[in-house]
Amino acid sequence: MNVPLLDLKAQYATIREEIRDAIEEVLASQHFILGPKVTGLEQQIAEYSGAGYTVGVASGSDALLLALMALDVGPGDEVITTPYSFFATASAVSRLGATPVFVDIQPRTYNIDPKKIEEKITERTRAILPVHLFGQMADMDPIVEVAKRHGLKVVEDAAQSIGATYKGKKAGTIGELGCFSFFPSKNLGGYGDGGMVVTNDEQIAERIRVLRVHGSKPKYYHQVVGINSRLDALQAAVLSTKLSYLEGWSAARRRNAAFYDAAFSDVNVETPYIEPFNVSIYNQYVLRVACRDDLMAHLKNQEIGCEIYYPVPLHLQACYQHLGYREGDFPESERAARKTLALPVYPELTEMQQEYVVSHIKAFVSGEASL
Ligand SMILES: *Cc1c(COP(=O)(O)O)cnc(C)c1O
């Protein structure tokens, strides 16, 4: 049996006609950049996330970049974030000439450890950039508290967590700004790149609307130097269509996660820990296991898709050597990078496929399987 890590073809099969109609509408209109489809999606995401203002942009990476630009982050500034994330989290900071300052994660949630933030705050710190990793939100109350005390802004990297909640509040709406990605493998994925910035601050939203069109307002009159980062109408049409399924898909991911949790309860692996005040959307279902690399090779041999998110923590990336971090600086992030493995958890996964995955992991962990 072949069990891919993610099966977007299976999802497409369930919505094919609707998607084709939505795309055809855009083709008929020949309106491809921003326009009514993008405005429509912005309104839908505002309703869905509960954010006051939403701005469609070209990618999740650009959403982060524009969010920091809107806060005037620049050379000499520092932004506190996690070293255990996708590269775009830190690169948004670097691309503005600012410096990412890393803080280790909590071992069980893999999210930034709020207790370790304050000791990293300096005169140059401008913002805190927590990531809601794998579909579960970071512990926001203490993050917001320390930010307020030091006059810092909070930008949420919610690329993996659209629809997740923390104490009943939706991802992206607790900090000054929230950033979503519509990369195809995210829970709400487009058919190409896309992203969105959300905020409850009307002025910040307006700044981002101007920044995404080269800083021009009106057209050809440039108040600031912005970038070209718009959401395509084709992507907006796809995403609007898919949004009505998102809650159901995320619930299906939770169902699949619960199936694994139960199946692994008597197995020597660590299943994901979700805080009682959080609802995860399980963008990834990540196990922590002793012989991670051997297990991964074994699963690949059985045609079971799995992946390491992420093999190299950001502070140890070659491009960040100049920041002066060394191995051992963030032990929990480094340990997570060595010991974790993501399993298929996508909504269309069948029980038979899940049983197949479970049986091969059980056989491996109990020592019955050989490579
Ligand atoms: C996917 C992702 C991004 C970047 O989003 P893109 O749309 O791929 O540019 C940023 N941060 C995190 C945590 C992500 O998972």
Side-chain angles (χ1 to χ4, degrees), residues 303-341:
E303 297 193 309
I304 295 171
C306 52
E307 190 64 82
I308 299 170
Y309 298 110
Y310 296 89
V312 182
L314 300 177
H315 67 288
L316 299 178
Q317 294 289 348
C319 66
Y320 282 143
Q321 265 182 16
H322 66 282
L323 295 180
Y325 292 105
R326 281 180 314 181
E327 193 142 3
D329 283 347
F330 303 110
E332 291 304 341
S333 299
E334 293 165 23
R335 206 162 61 86
R338 282 196 304 270
K339 297 292 178 197
T340 60
L341 190 63

Side-chain angles (χ1 to χ4, degrees), residues 66-135:
L66 286 160
L68 296 175
M69 285 172 84
L71 295 178
D72 268 328
V73 169
D77 293 337
E78 294 175 353
V79 175
I80 291 177
T81 191
T82 162
Y84 192 58
S85 180
F86 179 60
F87 180 66
T89 307
S91 74
V93 178
S94 305
R95 285 172 64 190
L96 294 173
T99 305
V101 172
F102 297 116
V103 166
D104 209 359
I105 55 168
Q106 301 172 319
R108 289 205 297 175
T109 65
Y110 305 110
N111 283 324
I112 193 167
D113 189 339
K115 289 194 300 296
K116 297 183 174 157
I117 290 177
E118 191 154 28
E119 65 201 54
K120 294 296 183 76
I121 294 174
T122 73
E123 279 156 28
R124 292 182 293 279
T125 310
R126 296 293 312 280
I128 305 174
L129 175 50
V131 178
H132 306 318
L133 204 67
F134 303 147

Side-chain angles (χ1 to χ4, degrees), residues 31-86:
H31 195 143
F32 296 115
I33 307 286
L34 298 176
K37 284 287 177 198
V38 172
T39 311
L41 179 70
E42 286 172 344
Q43 279 162 4
Q44 282 179 293
I45 297 283
E47 251 165 64
Y48 179 76
S49 67
Y53 307 91
T54 52
V55 188
V57 299
S59 68
S61 303
D62 276 6
L64 291 163
L65 185 71
L66 286 160
L68 296 175
M69 285 172 84
L71 295 178
D72 268 328
V73 169
D77 293 337
E78 294 175 353
V79 175
I80 291 177
T81 191
T82 162
Y84 192 58
S85 180
F86 179 60

